[in-house]
Amino acid sequence: MDMTSHMASHFDDAIDTLKASSRELAEPLSVAVDMLFGALANNAKILACGNGGSAADAQHFIAELVGRFERDRLPLAGIALNTDTSILTAVGNDYGFDAVFERQVNALGQPGDILVAISTSGNSPNVIKAIEAAHDREMSVIALTGKGGGGIAGLLQETDIHLCVPHDRTMRIQEVHIVLLHALCDGIDALLLGDTL
């Protein structure tokens, strides 16, 4: 095996995946920015969740909202549902791991809030239950998936946004997810502070 060529192939595949994602997702991504901005402008909040690498992405996204992205601004209301170990372990122990996000959506979510649900496969049971709880609470959902969207694709309603990366490999999906989340942050800031491009 030529390791240098093998490593170079990752860049080529990532570039191809980003280009395909740009063609398919730029329009729904812009709609998602408007949805998030509208919610925040109306004193609603953003809840985000995911598992593993997607948990890290949810936490990263919320940190950009509450802290800042590239420019100073007021903090924006967001909560990552995968960060409180006491809640995760208590709910996981008492109700099962599939309920760890659902219980928090039911506790914290209000009509007008938005759930950013991240699952590379689209089949994470706890993320699916969170989406169902969000719908019950009259919340919209922005779902970040890949691999065709899995079970999440069939759950989404007309008021939701599906950002499904057109790839089947987890690493490629996760790489595009962070680009999508950064683009959402940039779009929100552009509407709040003015476009700098």
Side-chain angles (χ1 to χ4, degrees), residues 4 12 17 22 29 34 36 58 81 121 127 137 146 156 159 180 196:
T4 300
D12 293 336
T17 306
S22 173
L29 189 60
D34 288 337
L36 289 165
L81 303 181
S121 67
V127 176
R137 300 192 69 76
L156 300 179
T159 55
L180 295 172
T196 58

Side-chain angles (χ1 to χ4, degrees), residues 44-45 47 81 101-115 129-141 157 159-160:
K45 62 188 172 296
L47 306 180
L81 303 181
F101 302 141
E102 173 193 28
R103 295 283 294 186
Q104 293 182 79
V105 171
N106 283 326
L108 302 169
Q110 298 293 325
D113 290 346
I114 295 176
L115 175 68
K129 284 185 166 289
I131 291 171
E132 292 170 341
H135 287 153
D136 289 344
R137 300 192 69 76
E138 299 177 32
M139 297 168 57
S140 294
V141 174
Q157 301 175 351
T159 55
D160 299 329

Side-chain angles (χ1 to χ4, degrees), residues 73-84:
R73 56 153 162 73
L74 293 173
L76 303 174
I79 303 168
L81 303 181
N82 43 262
T83 58
D84 189 320

Side-chain angles (χ1 to χ4, degrees), residues 64-104:
E64 307 281 25
L65 295 180
V66 175
R68 67 170 190 166
F69 185 52
E70 293 185 321
R71 294 183 278 170
D72 284 329
R73 56 153 162 73
L74 293 173
L76 303 174
I79 303 168
L81 303 181
N82 43 262
T83 58
D84 189 320
T85 56
S86 293
I87 291 175
L88 295 174
T89 54
V91 173
N93 185 62
D94 293 345
Y95 298 97
F97 192 67
D98 290 356
V100 294
F101 302 141
E102 173 193 28
R103 295 283 294 186
Q104 293 182 79

Side-chain angles (χ1 to χ4, degrees), residues 52-63:
S54 299
D57 287 344
Q59 194 169 334
H60 181 164
F61 177 59
I62 295 301

